[in-house]
Amino acid sequence: MFYENLKTKKILICGGAGYIGSHLVRELSTQSAYEIIIFDNLSKGHIKSIPNGIKFENADVRDKRALDRLFSKYKPDAVMNFCGSISLRESVVDPLEYYENNVVGTIYLLQAMKKHNVKYFIFSSSAAIFGNAKEMPITDDARPEPISPYADTKFIIEKILAWSENAYGLKYVCLRYFNACGAHESGDIGEDHDPETHLIPLTLQVALGQRDSISVFGDDYDTKDGTCVRDYIHVTDLATAHIRALEYLIRENKSQLFNLGSGEGYTVREVINAARNVTGHSIPDIVEARRIGDPAILIAESTRAELILGWKRKYNTIESIVASAWMYHKTHTNGFKDI
């Protein structure tokens, strides 16, 4: 097996207490070849998501001294970065905060890697960098045209990585995807944002009696049922892709960009109907006006990841994704506060 020959073992996971990062930690911790170190300021992450025995450091990626201490202490062989702020609309309201946290924070992280001779970097990017792409699904080689500060920060970092490879020999993989969703199969960890803005957990809150209805923003789009189509990729499938990317990076010593998508997506009504089927709740919905800037369809393909990484999604239906999320939310009605 490849793991037997893997020389890189110490993996620093920045943002490892957050939603995607915590699921990556769960999957990576099942591989004996890896020693995991989590670095998180807990502004969005949850200390209760971290398994027993995993090393954890509470600090901010924008703290250069803390980064230097951490790299000196653990001497990681590879870095995975999930530290970015993620709300498109929030980034429009406060773009400077987004550029500072996402771009400046990543620069400090890369500077620490350069100083301590760490060569491999996995970046949690976003398919939002493609903006209002003219063709769907979005291919790996589509032209990035970010239309929000959030998306722009992701694209800027990708460009910084390319220049850093040219200057310093850094090797990196960028993984571009839209909506992470679902929860770990154990039901122990899942999605817990404050405030919550994602469709699946908001819909499940209706089933839990925490809100009266779910809003559907526009039902007159040129789609199968008039509602927007979006990509939904299970968070564990994303975690698996990050592990495959790490294996590829070390084995091939080549940088690469990968889209992670379903290639088809689901409408808002299909997601709500899946939640009705899974929960047995009627889940009332209210149609409201379209939100400014919402494209009718946003989906990506994953041809390159499938061919090069051997990545395959385990959760191939919206029902299986929603069912995993429901298993977490119905036993953690207040998120990690219930643990």
Side-chain angles (χ1 to χ4, degrees), residues 13 27 36 42-43 71 76 83-84 89 96 111 130 149 154 165 168 185 200 223 280 283 289 308 319:
I13 303 177
E27 297 304 305
I36 300 169
L42 299 179
S43 62
F71 275 78
C83 279
R89 288 176 175 80
L96 293 180
Q111 287 175 335
F130 297 111
K154 295 289 189 177
E165 178 179 27
Y168 317 122
E185 62 183 4
I200 291 176
T223 61
I283 306 183
I308 296 178
E319 284 79 11

Side-chain angles (χ1 to χ4, degrees), residues 4-54:
E4 295 173 356
N5 299 317
L6 189 63
K7 295 181 180 179
T8 299
K9 294 191 176 184
K10 292 184 179 180
I11 313 299
L12 176 63
I13 303 177
C14 304
Y19 176 44
I20 301 176
S22 65
H23 285 77
L24 181 278
V25 169
R26 288 296 179 99
E27 297 304 305
L28 200 62
S29 64
T30 65
Q31 308 293 338
S32 60
Y34 300 110
E35 179 183 342
I36 300 169
I37 306 102
I38 294 175
F39 179 56
D40 200 303
N41 67 2
L42 299 179
S43 62
K44 300 294 183 181
H46 304 276
I47 191 69
K48 294 179 180 179
S49 73
I50 300 173
N52 292 332
I54 300 295

